[in-house]
Amino acid sequence: MNLIEQGIQKGLISFSEDKSRITYLNQNKSRNYNNPEEKVQAETFLKLVLLYNYPANQIRQFETVTMGSSQKEADIIVYNDEQCEQPHIVVECKKEDVSELEFIQAKEQAASYAYALAGTIQYIWVTSKIKNDYVQIDKESKSKRTIPDIPHFGITEVQKYKYVRGGRRQNEEAGNDEIKQNYFDLEQIGESELQNRFKQAHQSLWAGGELNPSEAFDELDKLIFCKIWDERKPRKIGEPYDFQVYDEPIPKKATDEQKAKIETKKTEELYKRILALYAEGKKVDQEVFKDNIRLNAQKVRTVVSYLEGVNLTKTDLDAKGRAFETFMGSYFRGDFGQYFTPRPIVEFIVNVLPIKNDSKVLDTSCGSGGFLLYALNKVREAAKDYYPLDSIEHHNYWHDFASKKLYGIEINEQIARTAKMNMIIHDDGHTNVISADGLLSSEELIKKTDNKGFKYNDFDFIITNPPFGSAIKQTEKAYLHQYKFGNKDVSWLDVKTQGLTDSEKKKRETQNTEVLFIEQCYKFLKEDGFLAIVIPDGILTNSTMQYVRDNIEEWYRIVAVISLPQTAFTANGAGVKSSVLFLRKWNEEKTEKIKNQKLSIQERLKKEVDYLNQITNWETEKKQIIKNHTGFVYSGEEKDKKQIEKTPEFIEWKKEISENYSQKIKDFQEDLEAKYLTTKQNELDDYDIFMAIAENIGYDATGKETGINELDEIGTELAKFINNIVKTEG
């Protein structure tokens, strides 16, 4: 039961029928609950009563404070006495998305209230719900110091820290001697609040101008990593977490300089604990978390203030995953220009494939890890069919898949780190996400990352959306010559290049990444392994891409072609018309059979029309006509042959003759090519291909949900089609 529900049940608050107004029953004050600040005010009031045990009749809200000649309104004042004459705590509430500067101003405002009030007021609490600052003040010396928390009702000591494993309740049950302290355990929170915390923490890092948004995101990633690592460390009931500020007592007669040094010491001690957590985590995961935390101690403390009380490990998996992805997605679209695959497309692709917990899965261009996360979720959901939700068998079923079977490659180190963070947020699988060029050979990837899992001919499924339109240059990437698609296309009708081996063929200066990834995926797949890849439609339709389609035909059984709308990637910054191609890798015998069948058809057709002799005869005939000037009429004075051949009339005539014969050969080849395609279609082994056009995929060009997703129905039928292929074709 949440605080609001408890407050209603205990008669502390009530709501209007439409929930637009809240009434604080002890004071009979009604307020606008649609105001974001009021929501924070309500929860803070209830925390004081239900968690800190302060009597409701010793709490006053919206109290007038006289400050010189003016009057202000304090949000909450907690009193030491029932007559409410001895102010004890001043609380200032701000809305969740308050800026760091506004939060600092709120602290100053609360302090001014405290000094203006009569009595021996001792504490200030400034809260936006997602960020809290607690201050102990000495009205006599007008000095302030930060503390981990305000005291519980009836307790006079300031506690050393706020968060311990088990919190107050479990410590009481365990007979802990320090139960008088107001300890809390970490809290599970909702998606919206967690997203807000990520957003505000990120904002606090770059808004001052010391870091750009990109650097701030990177550093926040590292600290989230430390936070989760701290939560997963084994600790007994009552032991404090490291990812929080500890208090350091200040002697009563300390000078201002001594107090400042102690405050600095608290920040430095926190910094050391965070660096130690990061060092521990790096030992386990050295590949992506390579560089050190670059924030200073104060910046680290600021981020800790947003995350210290949250239990990221136990917060609902879907909620924290969506929160991180939403925050990450909006950020990357704004600052990185990366085109991540929209959720409906990812979900569609993963759902139709028969991925199981023993399947080895790869994304060769994993970006932020969307495909990997959905594959993990698919296996996690399947675990429910076999084992109780909280059993070790259930955990091992999906966790072993995550840690041993799920692999990702991302060329951008920062995005790779984000993918790892995404996997950690979703409960592991992060150890096999590497930062590398996905087009490197298997041998080079293993050498570069020391991860022996990236072997050719070893993956059951590859699900990927490779970068479109980028050109790999031989002068920049020496590996281009290792790809068949790195060679110039050789037509079966090209007389001059017949019989050349791959090593003898002319090398391309450049090749598009999406084409190379089709070949790279073929190398990584096992025989009968499935590839689902998003590709630009040009690969399927452009005549210049026929050589790519020819190789796909030899390497893969074409399973399905699903056409996506032009707007599929518009909201993410890309407008290329695309399709999802589902392929299944042939075994070597089948590939060789197809190659030989095609070669046999080509040779037979060329023989039927005496192709080589015909081409040779036309070339000879053309040369003879030009050499003998056959049919050439020269209107000028008679000159010798060499002089005539230099005239504009002859040059134009020669060009026309050459073009006529070139066209004749071209027409001949096109007719033969058309006949070849027809013959090949009739003679190669026939099989069914699933084809569909999706015009509405759940969102429009702006990314707004439409409520209609044709991929759902297509996916249901395609899943049946693929399962039937596995069943009937082996």
Side-chain angles (χ1 to χ4, degrees):
M1 186 184 300
N2 64 34
L3 283 170
I4 296 296
E5 291 170 346
Q6 290 182 60
I8 295 171
Q9 190 179 80
K10 291 183 179 294
L12 296 170
I13 58 172
S14 66
F15 285 92
S16 61
E17 189 173 344
D18 62 358
K19 292 292 180 72
S20 66
R21 298 195 67 79
I22 182 173
T23 299
Y24 301 95
L25 297 175
N26 190 59
Q27 293 182 252
N28 195 30
K29 287 188 176 181
S30 177
R31 306 276 290 190
N32 177 12
Y33 195 65
N34 290 325
N35 181 356
E37 204 164 280
E38 195 63 42
K39 290 181 168 65
V40 176
Q41 174 102 9
E43 289 206 17
T44 304
F45 164 70
L46 294 173
K47 284 177 182 177
L48 286 165
V49 177
L50 301 174
L51 302 183
Y52 290 86
N53 295 332
Y54 283 96
N57 64 348
Q58 291 182 208
I59 300 173
R60 291 287 180 266
Q61 296 176 264
F62 324 112
E63 284 284 89
T64 300
V65 179
T66 301
M67 302 175 66
S69 60
S70 65
Q71 290 187 325
K72 302 282 187 180
E73 185 179 82
D75 289 333
I76 301 174
I77 299 176
V78 182
Y79 290 87
N80 267 332
D81 59 322
E82 292 184 4
Q83 292 74 32
C84 295
E85 295 175 349
Q86 301 173 23
H88 184 53
I89 304 170
V90 171
V91 185
E92 185 71 10
C93 302
K94 307 303 292 184
K95 60 184 179 180
E96 281 192 28
D97 59 353
V98 64
S99 70
E100 193 67 23
L101 178 60
E102 289 172 320
F103 194 88
I104 292 171
Q105 291 171 344
K107 288 171 63 176
E108 294 172 352
Q109 183 71 44
S112 67
Y113 293 157
Y115 290 128
L117 287 165
T120 58
I121 191 162
Q122 289 182 292
Y123 302 102
I124 297 169
W125 176 12
V126 180
T127 179
S128 66
K129 183 180 179 181
I130 66 173
K131 179 180 172 70
N132 295 280
D133 262 14
Y134 311 97
V135 179
Q136 184 181 43
I137 66 171
D138 185 334
K139 292 187 70 173
E140 186 177 332
S141 65
K142 292 195 174 182
S143 63
K144 298 179 290 184
R145 74 179 182 105
T146 59
I147 54 176
D149 196 8
I150 57 170
H152 192 273
F153 177 68
I155 296 176
T156 57
E157 304 94 347
V158 172
Q159 58 198 55
K160 185 174 177 59
Y161 35 74
K162 181 175 181 178
Y163 300 103
V164 302
R165 180 170 176 247
R168 182 179 177 86
R169 183 182 59 79
Q170 286 194 35
N171 277 282
E172 288 174 340
E173 293 172 358
N176 193 308
D177 292 337
E178 296 184 351
I179 59 170
K180 61 182 180 179
Q181 297 285 18
N182 182 34
Y183 295 131
F184 288 88
D185 203 344
L186 303 179
E187 181 185 5
Q188 301 173 40
I189 62 175
E191 176 184 344
S192 176
E193 182 180 339
L194 185 56
Q195 184 181 331
N196 253 343
R197 287 178 185 265
F198 289 151
K199 180 181 176 182
Q200 292 296 92
H202 176 255
Q203 179 84 3
S204 73
L205 290 180
W206 72 268
E210 294 177 35
L211 298 173
N212 64 41
S214 169
E215 292 170 328
F217 189 92
D218 204 28
E219 294 305 308
L220 178 59
D221 254 359
K222 296 173 189 174
L223 293 182
I224 294 173
F225 175 72
C226 293
K227 169 65 174 159
I228 295 176
W229 187 260
D230 184 42
E231 292 175 15
R232 292 179 180 174
K233 287 180 64 175
R235 48 173 49 89
K236 296 178 182 178
I237 295 291
E239 286 187 1
Y241 294 96
D242 293 323
F243 198 93
Q244 63 176 320
V245 178
Y246 287 8
D247 190 37
E248 188 73 29
I250 297 178
K252 287 186 177 180
K253 295 184 179 181
T255 65
D256 288 344
E257 183 180 356
Q258 289 172 327
K259 291 174 183 177
K261 285 183 178 179
I262 292 173
E263 195 65 35
T264 300
K265 182 182 177 182
K266 289 194 290 187
T267 302
E268 292 295 337
E269 289 297 326
L270 170 65
Y271 192 53
K272 289 177 183 177
R273 292 197 302 277
I274 299 300
L275 294 181
L277 286 169
Y278 191 64
E280 290 175 21
K282 279 178 68 177
K283 288 179 183 177
V284 176
D285 201 343
Q286 299 177 20
E287 168 52 33
V288 169
F289 289 91
K290 294 176 181 177
D291 55 341
N292 294 323
I293 291 173
R294 294 179 291 165
L295 297 173
N296 61 36
Q298 188 57 52
K299 286 288 187 183
V300 167
R301 181 169 178 169
T302 299
V303 174
V304 168
S305 69
Y306 285 103
L307 301 177
E308 61 181 347
V310 178
N311 192 322
L312 289 177
T313 304
K314 291 187 177 180
T315 291
D316 178 74
L317 184 62
D318 289 336
K320 67 185 176 185
R322 285 193 300 269
F324 186 75
E325 287 175 38
T326 301
F327 162 61
M328 177 190 62
S330 60
Y331 169 69
F332 275 116
R333 281 196 298 273
D335 291 79
F336 269 85
Q338 297 290 334
Y339 306 139
F340 296 124
T341 313
R343 180 185 292 261
I345 298 175
V346 174
E347 190 171 16
F348 160 70
I349 290 173
V350 173
N351 283 350
V352 302
L353 293 171
I355 297 171
K356 299 178 181 177
N357 72 314
D358 59 352
S359 305
K360 193 171 181 183
V361 180
L362 169 67
D363 184 349
T364 53
S365 310
C366 73
S368 61
F371 280 115
L372 303 180
L373 290 171
Y374 270 86
L376 174 57
N377 189 60
K378 184 183 181 86
V379 171
R380 186 187 282 111
E381 288 297 311
K384 296 177 183 177
D385 297 334
Y386 303 104
Y387 305 107
L389 190 60
D390 295 325
S391 68
I392 187 65
E393 292 87 357
H394 177 278
H395 178 267
N396 290 343
Y397 184 92
W398 65 262
H399 192 270
D400 286 351
F401 168 77
S403 60
K404 299 174 184 177
K405 299 288 187 179
L406 205 53
Y407 289 76
I409 308 170
E410 169 53 44
I411 192 169
N412 182 296
E413 186 172 325
Q414 186 175 357
I415 298 176
R417 179 156 46 244
T418 301
K420 273 185 177 280
M421 197 70 257
N422 213 351
M423 297 299 291
I424 294 171
I425 288 279
H426 284 77
D427 287 352
D428 262 327
H430 58 283
T431 51
N432 297 312
V433 175
I434 63 170
S435 174
D437 184 345
L439 291 170
L440 288 173
S441 69
S442 170
E443 184 179 301
E444 285 297 312
L445 284 170
I446 292 172
K447 182 179 178 181
K448 176 180 173 67
T449 64
D450 198 32
N451 189 318
K452 295 179 174 58
F454 290 90
K455 295 186 293 185
Y456 280 155
N457 302 303
D458 201 45
F459 286 88
D460 300 289
F461 296 92
I462 296 178
I463 41 181
T464 191
N465 179 7
F468 291 1
S470 299
I472 298 295
K473 297 180 180 179
Q474 180 62 49
T475 55
E476 297 174 356
K477 302 289 185 180
Y479 56 64
L480 184 56
H481 73 277
Q482 299 171 1
Y483 285 88
K484 184 172 183 180
F485 286 149
N487 300 323
K488 287 279 189 180
D489 177 34
V490 176
S491 170
W492 64 284
L493 295 173
D494 189 340
V495 176
K496 296 178 181 178
T497 58
Q498 288 304 298
L500 293 180
T501 64
D502 283 346
S503 61
E504 294 170 330
K505 292 173 184 176
K506 188 175 181 181
K507 307 304 178 187
R508 290 179 179 271
E509 294 181 4
T510 64
Q511 180 57 279
N512 287 344
T513 49
E514 63 267 28
V515 173
L516 293 177
F517 270 109
I518 291 173
E519 183 174 345
Q520 177 75 321
C521 291
Y522 173 77
K523 294 176 180 179
F524 269 121
L525 277 177
K526 288 179 179 177
E527 291 182 354
D528 295 327
F530 283 91
L531 166 63
I533 183 170
V534 181
I535 58 170
D537 279 3
I539 288 179
L540 301 174
T541 58
N542 290 352
S543 59
T544 56
M545 291 285 115
Q546 183 60 49
Y547 72 99
V548 178
R549 296 192 288 273
D550 287 340
N551 280 280
I552 290 175
E553 181 180 61
E554 295 170 7
W555 292 341
Y556 299 103
R557 184 222 193 275
I558 301 170
V559 175
V561 181
I562 311 301
S563 176
L564 300 175
Q566 181 77 43
T567 56
F569 296 96
T570 303
N572 285 6
V576 179
K577 178 71 174 66
S578 308
S579 294
V580 184
L581 190 59
F582 290 85
L583 306 168
R584 195 184 193 198
K585 183 175 178 178
W586 293 123
N587 58 42
E588 288 186 14
E589 292 78 11
K590 181 67 173 180
T591 293
E592 284 304 309
K593 178 183 176 182
I594 294 172
K595 286 181 180 178
N596 291 333
Q597 283 180 299
K598 290 165 71 173
L599 184 61
S600 175
I601 294 170
Q602 291 167 358
E603 292 303 315
R604 188 175 78 234
L605 292 178
K606 287 195 286 189
K607 188 175 181 180
E608 287 176 0
V609 295
D610 198 15
Y611 178 76
L612 186 58
N613 284 334
Q614 182 61 73
I615 296 296
T616 302
N617 289 341
W618 277 334
E619 285 292 339
T620 301
E621 188 176 300
K622 179 185 71 174
K623 290 176 182 178
Q624 288 297 323
I625 290 173
I626 293 173
K627 180 180 179 181
N628 298 329
H629 299 184
T630 306
F632 175 70
V633 178
Y634 181 62
S635 59
E637 298 179 3
E638 286 294 329
K639 295 182 180 178
D640 60 39
K641 187 175 183 180
K642 288 185 178 181
Q643 289 290 6
I644 292 175
E645 290 176 351
K646 294 179 181 179
T647 62
E649 292 87 350
F650 181 85
I651 292 171
E652 184 64 30
W653 173 81
K654 179 181 176 182
K655 179 182 176 183
E656 186 177 338
I657 293 298
S658 295
E659 288 177 348
N660 288 340
Y661 274 90
S662 294
Q663 187 63 47
K664 185 181 294 188
I665 292 171
K666 183 180 179 182
D667 292 342
F668 182 51
Q669 289 175 334
E670 286 180 353
D671 289 343
L672 200 56
E673 186 70 51
K675 189 173 183 181
Y676 164 67
L677 292 175
T678 302
T679 306
K680 183 180 69 169
Q681 186 176 357
N682 292 332
E683 295 188 12
L684 291 185
D685 293 345
D686 195 19
Y687 57 81
D688 293 331
I689 299 174
F690 187 103
M691 303 188 75
I693 298 174
E695 295 181 346
N696 194 323
I697 57 175
Y699 59 91
D700 60 20
T702 67
K704 183 180 178 181
E705 293 185 8
T706 62
I708 304 172
N709 187 354
E710 295 169 356
L711 290 176
D712 292 339
E713 185 177 352
I714 292 171
T716 300
E717 297 305 314
L718 179 54
K720 294 177 184 177
F721 184 80
I722 291 174
N723 287 333
N724 187 60
I725 287 175
V726 174
K727 182 178 179 180
T728 59
E729 299 180 15

